[in-house]
Amino acid sequence: MVKQDKVQYRDFPDADGHFGPYGGKFVSETLMSALEELAISYDHLRHDADFIAEFDQDLARYVGRPSPLYFAERWTKSIGGAQIYLKREDLNHTGSHKINNTIGQALLAKYAGKTRVIAETGAGQHGVATATVAARLGMECQVFMGAEDVQRQALNVYRMKLLGADVVPVESGSKTLKDAMNEAMRDWVTNVDSTFYIIGTVAGPHPYPLLVRDFQAIIGREAKWQCLEQTRQMPHALVACVGGGSNAIGLFHPFLSDDNVAMYGVEAAGDGLATGRHAAPLNCGQSGVLHGNRTYLIQDHDGQIMPTHSVSAGLDYPGVGPEHAWLKDLGRVNYVSATDSEALAAFRELTQIEGIMPALESSHALAYAAKLASTMKSDEIVIVNLSGRGDKDIHTVAALDHIEI
Amino acid sequence: MGRINTQLDTLKADGRKALVPYIVCGDPHISITVPMMHALVASGADMIELGVPFSDPMAEGPTIQLAHERALRQGTSLRDTLAVVKEFRQSDNKTPVVLMGYINPIEAMGYQEFSRQAMAAGVDGLLPVDIPPEEAGPLIDALKTADINLIFLLSPTTTIARAEKICRFGNGFLYYVSFKGVTGADRLDIDSVVEKIDQLRTLTSMPLLVGFGIKDGQSAATVSAVADGVVVGSVLVNRVATLYEKSASDEQIIGEVSRIISEMRSAIDER
């Protein structure tokens, strides 16, 4: 374990996109120049006053930021422990944190003069957020989605179509998020001159893990001042679900140097870590290379990527952002897990006690937060990232209840 | 000097061009691969590119994706692929074999262990599509100790500055990807290939082989007129798939891919 007090988190990734041994640029040669251009352009724009002003204004007036930090008082009482605050990313335009990033990347696309955007999506939240910004900027939009996810997220598929996007069901491999990302990469390599690839999470080749983190870090920056304003103190713990890890890094990053703030990234344990049917690479995987970066992966001993399972399509991914891999090794963030059934129980509990229906992805964070809070003192504070709303999951939950709607 | 350099030098001295078929190891099953490699050599192949099956072949079009899936359904691993090369070497010690694939199975085995086993099996080169020179340092070192060439890709989007760097790192030969896209696409633009190859010639004296979009004798002959050789993949793999679906015998499948290669051989040599 590396000594934490020496790490300057803001200095990572390094110029080549590495977080310690993780990250980097593992793509075919055809994409290397596009990535270099993107890195140079982003390096310039991230300090450009006009770009920053436009991004901030879009977040305020189009997304509806700042999103509230809400004290879940009844839920806190029912658990009996630390005070639980919810960072309400579910109240953003389009219903999740994904829009923070698509606003930022669409601006990069606009500044680069691209006329077409593509995206991969699992639960459909990132696809919807991409289709939304594409509609607003009048750009052509194609969204790649695993055929299995197209089935279980029919509502979001239709939303994307209404927004004018072309949704491409991906039939190869396991027909889920990883295969959608493969197909998006194939499209990008073919149309690299006209097309901007809006990656939805903090994975992929450099500079994506950097720029997605920067666009999502608004979550943690707001949560910090909101917590200080409302409670006059810093939070004691942060909890967020981790699939690729964009909502988690968004909440965590502005707090990484605050040593007294504990952090918990909650992976999808599916049927249970011991069953092998899960999506928890940080808990059960090994280091490897997929989708342009080195990170922890769920793979067999021959280096083949293995099928994952989670009730939530958005967490059903065999990899994880490289910065999370690094934070795990550093010991700065604790990576834990919640099963399908724990997440579903939390989904019902929050809906019934607080009148807030969380996304199944966010329900993993809630499930772990409830356990954690019960072990903490009543004057301590836990912030949970409520990364998305659960409307899209009603069909999944109803099917588990054997109800047809 | 390794088999790749020996072979390419000999061809150059004879004024001939390299014809390099690509097949996926274990497609449609593992016992066909060694006899197919021998048959391809007998039909005029100068080198074999053997695809290592991977679960997420991001650079491939549908044809070769499905070949990877067929091979993986039979459980074909990197270790099996090395065993195939070893068996091939028992009766062919001359034809170079290059493994083409993705870096993760090699990472999982470990660079040192892979290099040791690949050398023992008689592998001559490695062409991992998803590891540019920027990330390849430790791999270069490991392969060097085993005398295995690390083959790098160049593409239409490669800038001169990048090409200079890649030419410094590469050995054996350089593989020019003829168009922006995935394998099997029909996007070959011969004029742009000529222009880029001419440009690359000013940067390196290493042999330049061209792949992607070589689908018949005519495209093979046209491209090999400007390059040092061509790599042919999807058209062979597609033929394997079609015959396999019709329950053709191994002999029929091998016969057909051999016929495609000997036609290309004639077209290249006659030009």
Side-chain angles (χ1 to χ4, degrees):
Chain A
M1 198 125 45
V2 180
K3 272 193 86 172
Q4 286 172 23
D5 55 2
K6 289 188 178 158
V7 180
Q8 295 298 314
Y9 296 98
R10 281 298 315 177
D11 296 344
F12 289 85
D14 66 19
D16 300 318
H18 295 111
F19 299 90
Y22 305 107
K25 279 187 275 196
F26 293 85
V27 295
S28 63
E29 175 56 29
T30 309
L31 295 177
M32 286 300 288
S33 295
L35 290 170
E36 280 175 5
E37 273 170 38
L38 179 59
I40 291 166
S41 135
Y42 179 64
D43 201 43
H44 164 70
L45 289 173
R46 68 196 292 207
H47 305 295
D48 181 88
D50 291 341
F51 180 85
I52 295 167
E54 196 171 350
F55 180 57
D56 288 347
Q57 181 168 313
D58 281 353
L59 289 183
R61 298 185 192 167
Y62 188 70
V63 176
R65 303 203 71 92
S67 69
L69 183 71
Y70 166 73
F71 177 37
E73 197 170 358
R74 273 196 85 212
W75 197 43
T76 294
K77 275 189 186 137
S78 82
I79 292 163
Q83 300 163 36
I84 303 178
Y85 283 75
L86 306 177
K87 181 61 177 160
R88 298 290 308 275
E89 293 299 298
D90 60 315
L91 294 177
N92 291 342
H93 180 43
T94 74
S96 81
H97 72 290
K98 292 293 187 186
I99 191 87
N100 304 327
N101 168 47
T102 60
I103 290 277
Q105 289 198 48
L107 275 183
L108 293 178
K110 190 176 94 170
Y111 277 65
K114 304 286 182 182
T115 55
R116 176 175 180 266
V117 294
I118 56 169
E120 83 295 337
T121 196
Q125 295 300 85
H126 174 59
V128 166
T130 303
T132 298
V133 295
R136 179 170 176 246
L137 294 175
M139 288 179 182
E140 188 188 339
C141 176
Q142 208 157 35
V143 178
F144 297 92
M145 190 168 187
E148 193 183 308
D149 293 336
V150 169
Q151 289 297 318
R152 54 181 173 175
Q153 301 288 347
L155 186 69
N156 269 345
V157 173
Y158 191 54
R159 281 171 84 191
M160 287 185 268
K161 287 181 180 168
L162 287 172
L163 287 160
D166 179 22
V167 179
V168 183
V170 177
E171 299 282 354
S172 58
S174 63
K175 304 176 188 183
T176 60
L177 179 54
K178 84 172 171 75
D179 309 284
M181 198 149 178
N182 290 337
E183 208 55 36
M185 288 278 191
R186 291 178 187 124
D187 182 288
W188 196 32
V189 90
T190 305
N191 301 299
V192 63
D193 296 331
S194 68
T195 298
F196 190 101
Y197 180 14
I198 299 187
I199 293 184
T201 191
V202 282
H206 178 69
Y208 282 99
L210 164 69
L211 60 91
V212 177
R213 176 194 80 196
D214 288 356
F215 294 143
Q216 292 293 2
I218 184 75
I219 301 173
R221 288 200 302 273
E222 285 178 4
K224 193 184 268 191
W225 66 253
Q226 288 170 321
C227 187
L228 288 169
E229 190 177 86
Q230 291 179 31
T231 73
R232 306 277 161 222
Q233 57 178 330
M234 286 283 276
H236 299 81
L238 308 175
V239 184
C241 65
V242 178
S246 69
N247 90 80
I249 213 79
L251 176 64
F252 295 167
H253 200 265
F255 290 95
L256 284 173
S257 300
D258 298 314
D259 293 342
N260 295 325
V261 180
M263 300 184 194
Y264 299 86
V266 188
E267 292 196 304
D271 291 344
L273 295 182
T275 67
R277 278 176 51 79
H278 57 75
L282 291 169
N283 278 278
C284 301
Q286 299 84 35
S287 172
V289 172
L290 180 70
H291 292 151
N293 63 121
R294 183 178 284 118
T295 187
Y296 281 88
L297 300 171
I298 297 180
Q299 55 182 323
D300 67 16
H301 67 280
D302 192 39
Q304 306 297 343
I305 308 307
M306 286 170 63
T308 51
H309 167 78
S310 170
V311 69
S312 72
L315 301 182
D316 207 348
Y317 180 66
V320 61
E323 191 163 10
H324 287 293
W326 181 62
L327 292 171
K328 173 194 156 74
D329 286 6
L330 291 176
R332 177 64 187 95
V333 178
N334 305 291
Y335 291 94
V336 295
S337 68
T339 63
D340 284 357
S341 56
E342 288 169 334
L344 285 160
F347 171 92
R348 289 173 201 279
E349 213 171 284
L350 198 77
T351 303
Q352 286 164 14
I353 296 180
E354 292 288 350
I356 296 171
M357 192 178 292
L360 286 178
E361 290 77 16
S362 323
S363 300
H364 287 73
L366 293 165
Y368 186 81
K371 273 197 232 175
L372 177 71
S374 72
T375 67
M376 293 168 66
K377 294 197 285 276
S378 63
D379 59 350
E380 293 184 312
I381 291 166
V382 174
I383 297 178
V384 186
N385 201 2
L386 192 61
S387 55
R389 66 180 181 220
D391 309 45
K392 69 179 175 61
D393 296 312
I394 291 175
H395 277 88
T396 305
V397 176
L400 291 168
D401 283 344
H402 307 289
I403 292 169
E404 221 175 286
I405 48 175
Chain B
M1 194 156 68
R3 292 186 196 91
I4 292 176
N5 288 330
T6 306
Q7 181 76 311
L8 293 175
D9 286 357
T10 307
L11 286 168
K12 189 165 192 173
D14 295 348
R16 299 177 71 227
K17 301 300 171 100
L19 173 58
V20 184
Y22 165 95
I23 56 173
V24 176
C25 187
D27 173 31
H29 55 84
I30 192 84
S31 60
I32 200 173
T33 304
V34 172
M36 193 184 285
M37 290 165 76
H38 286 307
L40 289 167
V41 174
S43 308
D46 301 301
M47 189 185 321
I48 305 275
E49 242 182 51
L50 192 58
V52 182
F54 183 50
S55 51
D56 294 81
M58 267 182 300
E60 319 295 348
T63 299
I64 294 179
Q65 284 173 45
L66 289 170
H68 282 252
E69 287 184 18
R70 283 192 296 275
L72 286 174
R73 268 201 298 277
Q74 313 285 326
T76 312
S77 65
L78 175 57
R79 283 179 174 78
D80 295 332
T81 307
L82 293 170
V84 158
V85 178
K86 193 168 192 171
E87 194 186 331
F88 174 77
R89 278 281 165 257
Q90 286 170 6
S91 44
D92 185 334
N93 200 28
K94 175 172 169 271
T95 311
V97 175
V98 172
L99 300 187
M100 181 166 189
Y102 297 80
I103 198 62
N104 199 53
I106 291 161
E107 290 235 347
M109 183 180 276
Y111 291 166
Q112 300 295 340
E113 181 64 12
F114 169 78
S115 302
R116 200 184 60 72
Q117 291 197 28
M119 180 169 71
V123 170
D124 304 290
L126 178 68
L127 203 173
V129 292
D130 55 353
I131 182 160
E134 287 86 339
E135 302 287 353
L139 182 61
I140 291 171
D141 294 343
L143 293 176
K144 206 171 272 171
T145 62
D147 277 331
I148 293 172
N149 292 156
L150 183 56
I151 316 296
F152 284 109
L153 299 167
L154 296 154
S155 88
T157 59
T158 306
T159 57
I160 299 243
R162 278 193 64 75
E164 280 172 349
K165 178 158 65 178
I166 293 168
C167 291
R168 275 203 307 279
F169 282 107
N171 53 28
F173 63 93
L174 292 161
Y175 184 127
Y176 180 66
V177 175
S178 70
F179 55 75
K180 289 170 264 186
V182 293
T183 53
D186 192 9
R187 296 166 67 96
L188 183 65
D189 171 5
I190 188 68
D191 292 339
S192 78
V193 173
V194 171
E195 191 183 329
K196 197 77 181 190
I197 293 286
D198 284 347
Q199 188 189 74
L200 293 171
R201 294 280 191 213
T202 66
L203 304 176
T204 181
S205 55
M206 243 187 295
L208 293 164
L209 272 57
V210 176
F212 285 44
I214 313 294
K215 57 176 182 182
D216 50 22
Q218 196 199 337
S219 49
T222 314
V223 171
S224 62
V226 292
D228 297 301
V230 291
V231 182
V232 184
S234 293
V235 65
L236 301 176
V237 171
N238 190 39
R239 202 78 196 107
V240 171
T242 312
L243 291 167
Y244 178 65
E245 278 157 23
K246 289 182 188 159
S247 306
S249 67
D250 286 5
E251 289 71 28
Q252 285 172 303
I253 294 174
I254 290 171
E256 272 293 294
V257 295
S258 302
R259 188 186 57 75
I260 295 171
I261 285 301
S262 58
E263 279 175 21
M264 288 189 172
R265 177 83 269 166
S266 310
I268 292 169
D269 291 349
E270 277 161 21
R271 190 176 166 104

